[in-house]
Amino acid sequence: MDVLNEAMADDCQGLEFSFDRVRLPAGGGTAFEIPSEEGDDYEMAKDITGVIVYNHPAFAYYRDKYTGGNNPPDCGSFDGVTGIGTPGGSCADCPL
């Protein structure tokens, strides 16, 4: 990833980029939220076309079956590397 970042920095030196962030459907939703041209509001869209510029793994472990709602996972990792909770620790070494 560092090599890619360095190559992009060299190729794009002096340029400034601004990308809109599209909100993914959550909680059973079926529409994306796209920033409106005014910038303060969002428009809803069932389908979008675009290029994924960056992604990273995130994990969640529920000891019991997930039933929805706001109940947090027993263990979770926002970076896909280190789990917080039970069992916690290195995601690469996790048997779950």
Side-chain angles (χ1 to χ4, degrees):
M1 191 67 168
D2 291 335
V3 172
L4 179 60
N5 285 337
E6 288 177 25
M8 286 290 293
D10 289 342
D11 289 345
C12 300
Q13 190 171 13
L15 299 176
E16 291 185 29
F17 297 99
S18 175
F19 298 104
D20 289 333
R21 287 183 175 237
V22 174
R23 293 182 183 174
L24 301 176
T30 59
F32 296 93
E33 293 181 32
I34 302 171
S36 69
E37 291 187 21
E38 291 80 37
D40 293 338
D41 207 7
Y42 283 85
E43 299 172 3
M44 305 302 281
K46 287 248 182 219
D47 298 308
I48 61 171
T49 301
V51 175
I52 298 172
V53 177
Y54 177 77
N55 77 337
H56 67 87
F59 301 117
Y61 165 69
Y62 291 87
R63 185 180 347 246
D64 299 319
K65 182 178 179 182
Y66 178 69
T67 58
N70 291 327
N71 47 332
D74 294 294
C75 185
S77 173
F78 288 111
D79 63 4
V81 176
T82 304
I84 307 297
T86 302
S90 170
C91 292
D93 298 329
C94 182
L96 302 170

Coordinates of all heavy atoms in Angstrom, one line a residue:
M1 N 0.8 -1.2 0.0 CA 0.0 0.0 0.0 C 0.9 1.3 0.0 O 0.5 2.2 -0.7 CB -0.9 0.0 1.2 CG -2.0 1.0 1.2 SD -3.1 0.6 -0.1 CE -4.4 1.7 0.3
D2 N 2.0 1.2 0.7 CA 2.9 2.4 0.8 C 3.5 2.7 -0.6 O 3.6 3.8 -1.0 CB 4.0 2.1 1.8 CG 3.5 2.1 3.2 OD1 2.5 2.8 3.5 OD2 4.2 1.5 4.1
V3 N 3.8 1.6 -1.4 CA 4.4 1.8 -2.7 C 3.3 2.5 -3.6 O 3.7 3.4 -4.3 CB 4.8 0.4 -3.3 CG1 5.2 0.6 -4.7 CG2 5.9 -0.2 -2.5
L4 N 2.1 2.0 -3.5 CA 1.0 2.6 -4.3 C 0.8 4.1 -3.9 O 0.7 5.0 -4.8 CB -0.3 1.9 -4.1 CG -1.5 2.4 -4.8 CD1 -1.3 2.4 -6.3 CD2 -2.7 1.5 -4.5
N5 N 0.8 4.4 -2.6 CA 0.7 5.8 -2.1 C 1.8 6.7 -2.7 O 1.5 7.8 -3.1 CB 0.6 5.8 -0.6 CG -0.7 5.4 -0.1 OD1 -1.7 5.4 -0.8 ND2 -0.7 4.9 1.2
E6 N 3.0 6.2 -2.6 CA 4.1 6.9 -3.1 C 4.0 7.2 -4.7 O 4.3 8.3 -5.1 CB 5.5 6.2 -2.8 CG 5.8 6.3 -1.4 CD 7.1 5.5 -1.1 OE1 7.9 5.3 -2.0 OE2 7.3 5.0 0.1
A7 N 3.6 6.2 -5.4 CA 3.5 6.3 -6.9 C 2.4 7.3 -7.2 O 2.5 8.2 -8.1 CB 3.2 5.0 -7.5
M8 N 1.3 7.2 -6.5 CA 0.2 8.2 -6.7 C 0.6 9.6 -6.3 O 0.3 10.6 -7.0 CB -1.0 7.8 -5.8 CG -1.8 6.6 -6.3 SD -2.7 6.9 -7.8 CE -3.9 8.1 -7.3
A9 N 1.4 9.8 -5.2 CA 1.8 11.1 -4.8 C 2.7 11.7 -5.9 O 2.7 12.9 -6.2 CB 2.6 11.0 -3.5
D10 N 3.6 10.9 -6.5 CA 4.5 11.3 -7.5 C 3.7 11.7 -8.8 O 4.0 12.8 -9.4 CB 5.6 10.3 -7.9 CG 6.6 10.1 -6.8 OD1 6.7 11.0 -5.9 OD2 7.3 9.0 -6.8
D11 N 2.8 10.9 -9.2 CA 2.0 11.1 -10.4 C 1.1 12.3 -10.3 O 0.8 12.9 -11.3 CB 1.2 9.8 -10.8 CG 2.1 8.7 -11.3 OD1 3.3 9.0 -11.7 OD2 1.6 7.6 -11.4
C12 N 0.6 12.5 -9.1 CA -0.5 13.5 -8.9 C 0.0 14.8 -8.2 O -0.8 15.6 -7.7 CB -1.6 12.9 -8.1 SG -2.4 11.5 -9.0
Q13 N 1.3 15.0 -8.2 CA 1.9 16.1 -7.5 C 1.3 17.4 -8.0 O 1.3 17.6 -9.2 CB 3.4 16.1 -7.6 CG 4.1 17.1 -6.7 CD 5.6 16.9 -6.8 OE1 6.2 16.2 -7.6 NE2 6.3 17.6 -5.8
G14 N 0.8 18.2 -7.1 CA 0.3 19.5 -7.5 C -1.2 19.5 -7.8 O -1.9 20.5 -8.0
L15 N -1.8 18.3 -7.9 CA -3.2 18.2 -8.2 C -4.0 18.0 -6.9 O -3.5 17.4 -5.9 CB -3.5 17.0 -9.1 CG -2.9 17.0 -10.5 CD1 -3.2 15.7 -11.2 CD2 -3.4 18.1 -11.3
E16 N -5.2 18.5 -6.8 CA -6.1 18.3 -5.6 C -7.3 17.5 -6.1 O -7.9 17.9 -7.1 CB -6.4 19.6 -5.0 CG -5.3 20.3 -4.4 CD -5.7 21.6 -3.7 OE1 -6.8 21.7 -3.2 OE2 -4.8 22.5 -3.6
F17 N -7.7 16.5 -5.3 CA -8.8 15.7 -5.6 C -9.9 15.9 -4.5 O -9.5 16.1 -3.3 CB -8.5 14.2 -5.6 CG -7.5 13.9 -6.7 CD1 -6.2 13.7 -6.5 CD2 -8.0 13.7 -8.0 CE1 -5.3 13.4 -7.5 CE2 -7.1 13.4 -9.1 CZ -5.7 13.3 -8.8
S18 N -11.1 15.8 -4.9 CA -12.2 15.9 -4.0 C -13.2 14.8 -4.4 O -13.7 14.9 -5.5 CB -12.8 17.2 -3.9 OG -14.0 17.2 -3.1
F19 N -13.5 13.9 -3.6 CA -14.4 12.8 -3.9 C -15.7 12.9 -3.0 O -15.5 13.1 -1.8 CB -13.8 11.4 -3.7 CG -12.6 11.2 -4.6 CD1 -11.3 11.3 -4.1 CD2 -12.8 10.9 -6.0 CE1 -10.2 11.1 -4.9 CE2 -11.7 10.7 -6.8 CZ -10.4 10.8 -6.3
D20 N -16.8 12.7 -3.5 CA -18.1 12.6 -2.7 C -18.1 11.3 -2.1 O -17.7 10.3 -2.6 CB -19.3 12.8 -3.6 CG -19.5 14.2 -4.1 OD1 -19.0 15.1 -3.5 OD2 -20.1 14.3 -5.2
R21 N -18.6 11.2 -0.8 CA -18.8 10.0 -0.1 C -20.2 9.6 -0.2 O -21.1 10.3 0.2 CB -18.3 10.1 1.3 CG -16.9 10.2 1.5 CD -16.5 10.3 2.9 NE -15.0 10.2 3.1 CZ -14.4 9.3 3.7 NH1 -15.0 8.4 4.4 NH2 -13.1 9.4 3.8
V22 N -20.5 8.4 -0.7 CA -21.8 7.9 -0.9 C -22.1 7.0 0.4 O -21.2 6.2 0.8 CB -22.0 7.0 -2.1 CG1 -23.3 6.4 -2.2 CG2 -21.7 7.9 -3.4
R23 N -23.2 7.2 1.0 CA -23.6 6.4 2.2 C -24.3 5.1 1.7 O -25.2 5.2 0.9 CB -24.5 7.2 3.1 CG -23.8 8.4 3.7 CD -24.8 9.1 4.6 NE -24.2 10.3 5.2 CZ -24.8 11.2 5.9 NH1 -26.1 11.0 6.2 NH2 -24.2 12.2 6.4
L24 N -23.8 4.0 2.2 CA -24.3 2.7 1.9 C -25.6 2.5 2.6 O -25.9 3.0 3.7 CB -23.3 1.6 2.3 CG -22.0 1.7 1.6 CD1 -21.1 0.6 2.1 CD2 -22.1 1.6 0.1
P25 N -26.5 1.7 2.0 CA -27.8 1.4 2.7 C -27.5 0.6 4.0 O -26.6 -0.3 4.0 CB -28.5 0.4 1.7 CG -27.9 0.7 0.4 CD -26.5 1.1 0.6
A26 N -28.2 1.0 5.0 CA -27.9 0.3 6.3 C -29.2 -0.2 6.9 O -30.3 0.3 6.5 CB -27.3 1.3 7.3
G27 N -29.2 -1.1 7.7 CA -30.3 -1.6 8.5 C -31.5 -2.1 7.6 O -32.6 -1.8 7.8
G28 N -31.1 -2.8 6.5 CA -32.2 -3.3 5.6 C -32.6 -2.3 4.5 O -33.5 -2.6 3.8
G29 N -31.9 -1.2 4.5 CA -32.3 -0.2 3.5 C -31.9 -0.6 2.1 O -31.1 -1.5 1.9
T30 N -32.5 0.0 1.1 CA -32.3 -0.5 -0.3 C -31.8 0.7 -1.2 O -31.8 0.5 -2.4 CB -33.6 -1.1 -0.9 OG1 -34.6 -0.1 -0.9 CG2 -34.0 -2.3 -0.1
A31 N -31.5 1.8 -0.6 CA -31.1 3.0 -1.5 C -29.8 3.6 -0.9 O -29.6 3.7 0.3 CB -32.2 4.0 -1.5
F32 N -29.0 4.1 -1.8 CA -27.8 4.8 -1.5 C -28.1 6.3 -1.2 O -29.0 6.8 -1.8 CB -26.7 4.7 -2.6 CG -26.3 3.3 -2.9 CD1 -26.9 2.5 -3.8 CD2 -25.2 2.8 -2.2 CE1 -26.5 1.3 -4.1 CE2 -24.7 1.5 -2.5 CZ -25.4 0.8 -3.4
E33 N -27.4 6.9 -0.3 CA -27.5 8.3 -0.1 C -26.3 9.0 -0.8 O -25.2 8.8 -0.5 CB -27.5 8.7 1.4 CG -28.7 8.1 2.1 CD -28.7 8.5 3.6 OE1 -28.2 9.5 3.9 OE2 -29.2 7.6 4.4
I34 N -26.7 9.9 -1.8 CA -25.7 10.6 -2.6 C -25.7 12.1 -2.2 O -26.8 12.7 -2.2 CB -25.9 10.4 -4.1 CG1 -25.9 8.9 -4.4 CG2 -24.9 11.1 -4.9 CD1 -26.3 8.5 -5.7
P35 N -24.6 12.8 -2.0 CA -24.6 14.2 -1.7 C -25.3 15.0 -2.8 O -25.0 14.7 -4.0 CB -23.2 14.6 -1.6 CG -22.5 13.3 -1.3 CD -23.2 12.2 -2.0
S36 N -26.2 15.9 -2.5 CA -26.9 16.7 -3.5 C -25.9 17.8 -4.0 O -24.9 18.0 -3.4 CB -28.1 17.3 -2.9 OG -27.8 18.3 -2.0
E37 N -26.3 18.4 -5.1 CA -25.4 19.5 -5.6 C -25.3 20.6 -4.7 O -24.3 21.4 -4.7 CB -25.9 19.9 -7.0 CG -25.7 18.8 -8.0 CD -26.0 19.2 -9.4 OE1 -26.0 20.4 -9.7 OE2 -26.3 18.3 -10.3
E38 N -26.3 20.9 -3.8 CA -26.3 22.0 -2.9 C -25.3 21.7 -1.7 O -24.8 22.6 -1.1 CB -27.7 22.2 -2.3 CG -28.6 22.8 -3.3 CD -29.3 21.8 -4.2 OE1 -29.5 20.6 -3.7 OE2 -29.4 22.1 -5.4
G39 N -25.0 20.4 -1.5 CA -24.0 20.0 -0.5 C -24.5 19.8 0.9 O -23.8 19.2 1.7
D40 N -25.7 20.3 1.2 CA -26.2 20.1 2.6 C -27.1 19.0 2.8 O -27.4 18.6 3.9 CB -26.9 21.4 3.0 CG -26.0 22.6 3.2 OD1 -24.8 22.4 3.3 OD2 -26.5 23.7 3.1
D41 N -27.6 18.4 1.7 CA -28.6 17.4 1.7 C -28.2 16.2 0.9 O -27.2 16.2 0.2 CB -29.9 17.9 1.2 CG -31.2 17.2 1.8 OD1 -31.0 16.4 2.7 OD2 -32.3 17.5 1.3
Y42 N -28.9 15.1 1.0 CA -28.6 13.9 0.3 C -29.8 13.5 -0.6 O -31.0 13.7 -0.3 CB -28.3 12.7 1.2 CG -26.9 12.8 1.8 CD1 -26.7 13.5 3.0 CD2 -25.9 12.1 1.2 CE1 -25.4 13.6 3.5 CE2 -24.6 12.1 1.8 CZ -24.4 12.9 2.9 OH -23.1 13.0 3.4
E43 N -29.5 12.9 -1.8 CA -30.5 12.4 -2.7 C -30.4 10.8 -2.6 O -29.4 10.3 -2.3 CB -30.2 12.8 -4.1 CG -30.3 14.3 -4.3 CD -29.8 14.7 -5.7 OE1 -29.5 13.8 -6.5 OE2 -29.7 15.9 -5.9
M44 N -31.5 10.2 -2.7 CA -31.6 8.7 -2.6 C -31.5 8.1 -4.0 O -32.1 8.7 -5.0 CB -32.9 8.3 -2.0 CG -33.1 8.9 -0.6 SD -31.8 8.6 0.6 CE -32.2 6.9 1.0
A45 N -30.8 7.0 -4.2 CA -30.7 6.3 -5.5 C -30.6 4.8 -5.2 O -29.9 4.3 -4.4 CB -29.4 6.8 -6.2
K46 N -31.4 4.1 -6.0 CA -31.4 2.6 -5.9 C -30.1 2.0 -6.5 O -29.6 1.0 -6.0 CB -32.6 2.0 -6.6 CG -33.9 2.2 -5.9 CD -34.4 0.9 -5.4 CE -35.7 1.1 -4.7 NZ -35.8 0.2 -3.6
D47 N -29.6 2.6 -7.6 CA -28.4 2.1 -8.2 C -27.4 3.2 -8.4 O -27.8 4.4 -8.6 CB -28.7 1.6 -9.6 CG -29.7 0.4 -9.6 OD1 -29.4 -0.6 -8.9 OD2 -30.7 0.5 -10.3
I48 N -26.1 2.8 -8.3 CA -25.0 3.8 -8.6 C -24.0 3.1 -9.4 O -23.8 1.9 -9.4 CB -24.4 4.4 -7.3 CG1 -23.8 3.3 -6.5 CG2 -25.4 5.2 -6.5 CD1 -23.0 3.8 -5.3
T49 N -23.2 3.9 -10.1 CA -22.1 3.5 -10.9 C -20.9 4.3 -10.4 O -20.9 5.5 -10.3 CB -22.3 3.6 -12.4 OG1 -23.4 2.9 -12.8 CG2 -21.1 3.1 -13.2
G50 N -19.8 3.6 -10.1 CA -18.6 4.3 -9.7 C -17.4 3.4 -9.6 O -17.4 2.3 -10.0
V51 N -16.3 4.0 -9.1 CA -15.1 3.3 -8.9 C -14.8 3.3 -7.4 O -14.8 4.4 -6.8 CB -13.9 4.0 -9.7 CG1 -12.6 3.3 -9.4 CG2 -14.2 3.9 -11.1
I52 N -14.5 2.1 -6.8 CA -14.1 2.1 -5.4 C -12.6 2.5 -5.3 O -11.8 1.9 -5.9 CB -14.3 0.6 -4.8 CG1 -15.8 0.3 -4.9 CG2 -13.7 0.5 -3.4 CD1 -16.0 -1.2 -4.6
V53 N -12.4 3.6 -4.6 CA -11.0 4.1 -4.5 C -10.3 3.5 -3.4 O -9.1 3.2 -3.4 CB -11.1 5.7 -4.3 CG1 -9.7 6.2 -4.2 CG2 -11.8 6.3 -5.5
Y54 N -10.9 3.2 -2.3 CA -10.3 2.6 -1.1 C -11.3 1.8 -0.3 O -12.4 2.1 -0.2 CB -9.7 3.7 -0.2 CG -9.1 3.2 1.1 CD1 -7.8 2.7 1.0 CD2 -9.7 3.3 2.3 CE1 -7.2 2.2 2.2 CE2 -9.2 2.8 3.4 CZ -7.9 2.3 3.4 OH -7.3 1.8 4.5
N55 N -10.8 0.6 0.2 CA -11.6 -0.1 1.1 C -10.7 -0.8 2.1 O -9.5 -0.9 1.9 CB -12.5 -1.2 0.4 CG -11.7 -2.4 -0.1 OD1 -10.5 -2.3 -0.2 ND2 -12.4 -3.4 -0.3
H56 N -11.2 -1.3 3.2 CA -10.5 -2.1 4.2 C -11.4 -3.0 4.9 O -12.6 -2.8 5.0 CB -9.7 -1.1 5.2 CG -10.7 -0.4 6.1 ND1 -11.1 -0.9 7.3 CD2 -11.3 0.8 6.0 CE1 -11.9 0.0 7.8 NE2 -12.0 1.0 7.1
P57 N -10.8 -4.1 5.4 CA -11.7 -5.1 6.1 C -12.1 -4.6 7.4 O -11.4 -3.8 8.1 CB -10.8 -6.3 6.2 CG -9.4 -5.7 6.2 CD -9.5 -4.5 5.3
A58 N -13.3 -4.9 7.8 CA -13.8 -4.7 9.2 C -14.6 -6.0 9.6 O -15.2 -6.6 8.7 CB -14.8 -3.5 9.2
F59 N -14.4 -6.4 10.8 CA -15.0 -7.7 11.2 C -15.9 -7.4 12.5 O -15.6 -6.6 13.3 CB -13.9 -8.7 11.6 CG -13.0 -9.0 10.5 CD1 -11.6 -8.7 10.6 CD2 -13.4 -9.6 9.3 CE1 -10.7 -9.0 9.5 CE2 -12.6 -9.9 8.3 CZ -11.2 -9.6 8.4
A60 N -16.9 -8.3 12.6 CA -17.8 -8.3 13.8 C -18.1 -9.8 14.1 O -18.4 -10.5 13.2 CB -19.0 -7.5 13.5
Y61 N -18.0 -10.1 15.4 CA -18.3 -11.5 15.8 C -19.4 -11.4 16.9 O -19.3 -10.6 17.9 CB -17.1 -12.1 16.4 CG -17.4 -13.4 17.2 CD1 -17.9 -14.5 16.6 CD2 -17.3 -13.4 18.6 CE1 -18.2 -15.7 17.3 CE2 -17.6 -14.5 19.3 CZ -18.0 -15.7 18.7 OH -18.4 -16.8 19.4
Y62 N -20.5 -12.1 16.7 CA -21.5 -12.2 17.7 C -21.6 -13.6 18.1 O -21.7 -14.6 17.3 CB -22.9 -11.8 17.0 CG -23.0 -10.4 16.7 CD1 -22.6 -9.9 15.4 CD2 -23.6 -9.5 17.6 CE1 -22.7 -8.6 15.1 CE2 -23.7 -8.1 17.2 CZ -23.2 -7.7 16.0 OH -23.3 -6.4 15.7
R63 N -21.5 -13.8 19.4 CA -21.5 -15.2 20.0 C -22.9 -15.8 19.7 O -22.9 -17.0 19.3 CB -21.3 -15.1 21.5 CG -21.2 -16.4 22.2 CD -21.0 -16.3 23.7 NE -20.7 -15.0 24.1 CZ -19.5 -14.7 24.6 NH1 -18.6 -15.6 24.9 NH2 -19.2 -13.4 25.0
D64 N -24.0 -15.1 19.8 CA -25.3 -15.6 19.5 C -25.7 -15.0 18.1 O -25.1 -14.0 17.7 CB -26.3 -15.1 20.6 CG -26.0 -15.7 21.9 OD1 -25.6 -16.9 22.0 OD2 -26.1 -15.0 22.9
K65 N -26.7 -15.5 17.5 CA -27.1 -15.1 16.2 C -27.5 -13.6 16.2 O -28.2 -13.2 17.1 CB -28.3 -15.9 15.7 CG -28.8 -15.5 14.3 CD -29.9 -16.4 13.8 CE -30.3 -15.9 12.5 NZ -31.5 -16.7 12.0
Y66 N -27.0 -12.8 15.3 CA -27.3 -11.4 15.2 C -28.8 -11.2 14.8 O -29.2 -11.8 13.8 CB -26.4 -10.7 14.2 CG -26.7 -9.2 14.0 CD1 -26.4 -8.3 15.0 CD2 -27.3 -8.7 12.9 CE1 -26.7 -7.0 14.9 CE2 -27.5 -7.4 12.7 CZ -27.3 -6.5 13.7 OH -27.5 -5.2 13.6
T67 N -29.5 -10.4 15.6 CA -30.9 -10.3 15.3 C -31.3 -8.8 14.9 O -32.5 -8.5 14.8 CB -31.7 -10.7 16.5 OG1 -31.3 -9.8 17.6 CG2 -31.6 -12.1 16.9
G68 N -30.3 -8.0 14.6 CA -30.5 -6.6 14.2 C -30.5 -5.7 15.5 O -30.2 -6.2 16.6
G69 N -30.8 -4.5 15.2 CA -30.8 -3.5 16.3 C -29.5 -3.0 16.6 O -28.5 -3.1 15.8
N70 N -29.3 -2.3 17.7 CA -28.1 -1.6 18.1 C -27.2 -2.4 19.1 O -26.4 -1.8 19.7 CB -28.4 -0.3 18.7 CG -29.0 0.7 17.7 OD1 -28.6 0.6 16.5 ND2 -29.9 1.6 18.1
N71 N -27.4 -3.7 19.2 CA -26.6 -4.5 20.1 C -25.2 -4.6 19.5 O -25.0 -5.1 18.4 CB -27.2 -5.8 20.5 CG -27.8 -6.6 19.3 OD1 -28.1 -6.0 18.3 ND2 -27.8 -7.9 19.4
P72 N -24.2 -4.2 20.2 CA -22.8 -4.3 19.7 C -22.3 -5.8 19.6 O -22.8 -6.7 20.3 CB -22.0 -3.5 20.8 CG -22.7 -3.7 22.0 CD -24.2 -3.7 21.6
P73 N -21.3 -6.0 18.8 CA -20.8 -7.4 18.7 C -20.0 -7.7 19.9 O -19.5 -6.8 20.6 CB -19.9 -7.3 17.4 CG -19.5 -5.9 17.3 CD -20.7 -5.1 17.8
D74 N -19.8 -9.0 20.1 CA -18.9 -9.5 21.2 C -17.5 -9.1 21.0 O -16.7 -8.8 21.9 CB -19.1 -11.0 21.5 CG -20.5 -11.3 21.9 OD1 -20.8 -10.9 23.0 OD2 -21.2 -12.0 21.1
C75 N -17.1 -9.1 19.7 CA -15.7 -8.7 19.3 C -15.8 -8.0 18.0 O -16.6 -8.4 17.1 CB -14.8 -9.9 19.2 SG -13.1 -9.5 18.8
G76 N -15.1 -6.9 17.8 CA -15.2 -6.2 16.5 C -13.8 -5.6 16.2 O -13.0 -5.3 17.1
S77 N -13.6 -5.4 14.9 CA -12.3 -4.8 14.4 C -12.6 -3.8 13.3 O -13.1 -4.2 12.3 CB -11.4 -5.9 13.9 OG -10.2 -5.3 13.3
F78 N -12.4 -2.6 13.5 CA -12.6 -1.6 12.4 C -11.4 -1.6 11.4 O -11.6 -1.1 10.3 CB -12.8 -0.2 13.0 CG -14.1 0.0 13.7 CD1 -14.2 0.1 15.1 CD2 -15.3 0.0 13.0 CE1 -15.4 0.3 15.7 CE2 -16.5 0.2 13.6 CZ -16.5 0.3 15.0
D79 N -10.3 -2.1 11.8 CA -9.1 -2.1 10.9 C -8.8 -3.5 10.3 O -8.0 -3.6 9.4 CB -7.9 -1.6 11.6 CG -7.4 -2.4 12.8 OD1 -8.0 -3.5 13.0 OD2 -6.4 -2.0 13.4
G80 N -9.6 -4.5 10.7 CA -9.3 -5.8 10.2 C -8.1 -6.5 10.7 O -7.7 -7.5 10.2
V81 N -7.4 -5.9 11.7 CA -6.2 -6.4 12.2 C -6.3 -6.8 13.6 O -5.8 -7.9 14.0 CB -5.0 -5.3 12.0 CG1 -3.7 -5.8 12.6 CG2 -4.8 -5.0 10.6
T82 N -6.9 -6.0 14.5 CA -7.0 -6.2 15.9 C -8.4 -6.2 16.4 O -9.1 -5.2 16.2 CB -6.2 -5.1 16.7 OG1 -4.8 -5.1 16.2 CG2 -6.2 -5.4 18.2
G83 N -8.8 -7.3 17.0 CA -10.2 -7.3 17.5 C -10.3 -6.8 18.9 O -9.4 -7.0 19.7
I84 N -11.4 -6.1 19.2 CA -11.6 -5.5 20.5 C -12.8 -6.2 21.1 O -13.9 -6.3 20.5 CB -11.9 -4.0 20.4 CG1 -10.8 -3.3 19.7 CG2 -12.1 -3.4 21.8 CD1 -9.4 -3.3 20.3
G85 N -12.7 -6.8 22.3 CA -13.8 -7.5 22.9 C -13.4 -8.9 23.2 O -12.2 -9.2 23.4
T86 N -14.4 -9.8 23.1 CA -14.1 -11.2 23.4 C -14.3 -12.0 22.1 O -15.4 -12.0 21.6 CB -15.1 -11.8 24.5 OG1 -14.9 -11.0 25.6 CG2 -14.8 -13.2 24.8
P87 N -13.3 -12.7 21.5 CA -12.0 -13.1 22.1 C -11.0 -12.0 22.0 O -10.0 -12.0 22.7 CB -11.6 -14.3 21.3 CG -12.2 -14.1 20.0 CD -13.5 -13.3 20.2
G88 N -11.1 -11.0 21.1 CA -10.1 -10.0 21.0 C -8.7 -10.5 20.4 O -8.6 -11.7 20.2
G89 N -7.8 -9.5 20.2 CA -6.5 -9.9 19.8 C -6.3 -9.9 18.2 O -7.1 -9.2 17.6
S90 N -5.4 -10.6 17.7 CA -5.0 -10.6 16.3 C -6.1 -11.3 15.5 O -6.4 -12.5 15.7 CB -3.7 -11.3 16.1 OG -3.4 -11.5 14.8
C91 N -6.6 -10.6 14.5 CA -7.7 -11.2 13.6 C -7.1 -12.3 12.8 O -7.7 -13.3 12.5 CB -8.3 -10.1 12.7 SG -9.2 -8.8 13.6
A92 N -5.8 -12.2 12.4 CA -5.2 -13.2 11.6 C -5.1 -14.5 12.3 O -5.1 -15.6 11.7 CB -3.8 -12.7 11.1
D93 N -5.0 -14.5 13.6 CA -4.9 -15.7 14.4 C -6.2 -16.2 15.0 O -6.2 -17.2 15.7 CB -3.9 -15.5 15.6 CG -2.5 -15.2 15.1 OD1 -2.1 -15.7 14.0 OD2 -1.8 -14.4 15.8
C94 N -7.3 -15.5 14.7 CA -8.6 -15.8 15.3 C -9.2 -17.0 14.6 O -9.3 -17.1 13.4 CB -9.5 -14.6 15.1 SG -11.2 -14.9 15.9
P95 N -9.6 -18.0 15.4 CA -10.2 -19.2 14.8 C -11.7 -18.9 14.4 O -12.3 -19.8 13.7 CB -10.2 -20.2 16.0 CG -10.3 -19.3 17.2 CD -9.5 -18.1 16.9
L96 N -12.2 -17.8 14.7 CA -13.6 -17.5 14.4 C -13.7 -16.8 13.1 O -14.7 -16.5 12.5 CB -14.3 -16.7 15.5 CG -14.2 -17.3 16.9 CD1 -14.6 -16.4 17.9 CD2 -15.1 -18.6 16.9

